[in-house]
Every structure is written in C-alpha cells, then in structure tokens.
C-alpha cells in the first residue's frame, strides 16, 4: 500500500540519506530472500530484495551504512556498505 505523500516523495525524488553503524541480516523463505539493514543509532530498519555480497552477516558483524530512502522513510532506494573502521566502500546497490 502506498500513501499519497510517499508517492509524491518518490516521483519528485525527494530523498533522505540515513547514515550510521548498521548490521545486516539475511532471511529467506521459499524462493525469495532479502537483506534487513538495522541502524541502531536511529532505530531505523530497512529491507532490500537483493543480498549484498559480503563475507559475513548478522547482529555481531557491524558495518557503516548509507541508506537512501524517501523523505518519509517508507521506501528504500539504495544503499552503500562500508567497513566500520576504515570506511572503505565494500558494496553498493547502485
């Protein structure tokens, strides 16, 4: 379900970038799989259909993430995943 304000943000490309430490969890059911990005600093949770090609996933593996979302934080657009210590770009959905 999409709301009118959410549709407006997507059509006008009014985006927000949420930055900070994150953990990535992968879940699958049947033929589909998704990656859940949890941002503990902002309490945001984002979900993507593609799974980043990383060495490890889970609550114990921290990364630094930049997630682009609609201004109301209802729709995910893309992500960038960095090494938490060196800030080296590891994966991008772009």
């Amino acid at each position: 379900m999409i709301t009118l304000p959410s549709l407006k943000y997507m059509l006008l490309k009014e985006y927000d970038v949420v930055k900070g430490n994150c953990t990535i969890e992968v879940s699958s059911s049947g033929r589909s799989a998704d990656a859940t990005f949890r941002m503990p600093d902002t309490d945001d949770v984002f979900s993507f259909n593609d799974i980043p090609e990383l060495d490890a996933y889970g609550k114990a593996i921290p990364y630094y993430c930049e997630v682009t979302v609609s201004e109301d934080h209802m729709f995910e657009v893309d992500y960038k995943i960095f090494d938490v210590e060196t800030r080296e770009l590891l994966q991008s959905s772009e």
Side-chain angles (χ1 to χ4, degrees), residues 22-35:
C22 70
T23 59
I24 302 167
E25 298 172 36
V26 174
S27 62
S28 63
S29 65
R31 293 184 178 183
S32 65
D34 65 11

Side-chain angles (χ1 to χ4, degrees), residues 1-10 70 72 74-75:
M1 187 159 130
I2 190 166
T3 64
L4 223 38
S6 296
L7 182 59
K8 178 191 86 155
Y9 294 135
M10 294 305 290
S70 60
D72 60 357
M74 295 298 292
F75 294 97

